[in-house]
Amino acid sequence: LQLENLHPGFLGRLHSKHPNLTAKEKKLSAYLRLGLSGKEIAGLQNVTPKSIEIARVRLRKKLKLSHEIRLAHYFSQL
């Protein structure tokens, strides 16, 4: 809910551009859009920072992004 207040329409645009994302991937995308670090996201989800790192790599592959593009920057442009 906070995300929609800060960035209206983000989740809708994310879903329309990438409809195959899972709920966890959408949640990770939202956290990245808010500018949270891997450690902060890990704390919110009660997982290790390494788990977030792996999830980020898998998300990058699923979105077919090159390694030069930062995920946070990609989501800020969405």
Side-chain angles (χ1 to χ4, degrees):
L1 295 174
Q2 292 290 337
L3 178 70
E4 280 300 313
N5 291 336
L6 294 172
H7 307 289
F10 171 73
L11 292 175
R13 290 189 302 274
L14 179 66
H15 181 71
S16 66
K17 190 161 185 175
H18 304 287
N20 59 341
L21 294 181
T22 65
K24 280 189 172 187
E25 291 166 338
K26 289 178 185 177
K27 194 175 206 180
L28 177 60
S29 302
Y31 285 141
L32 292 171
R33 176 67 171 103
L34 291 172
L36 298 179
S37 70
K39 286 184 180 181
E40 292 169 327
I41 297 169
L44 289 172
Q45 294 187 341
N46 293 323
V47 296
T48 64
K50 184 69 176 172
S51 298
I52 298 301
E53 177 83 20
I54 292 168
R56 289 173 66 126
V57 169
R58 288 180 179 155
L59 181 60
R60 178 184 301 280
K61 283 182 182 180
K62 196 168 191 176
L63 298 177
K64 297 179 178 136
L65 297 177
S66 68
H67 292 289
E68 292 82 37
I69 300 172
R70 295 189 62 215
L71 279 175
H73 181 71
Y74 175 77
F75 290 127
S76 70
Q77 301 297 317
L78 201 73

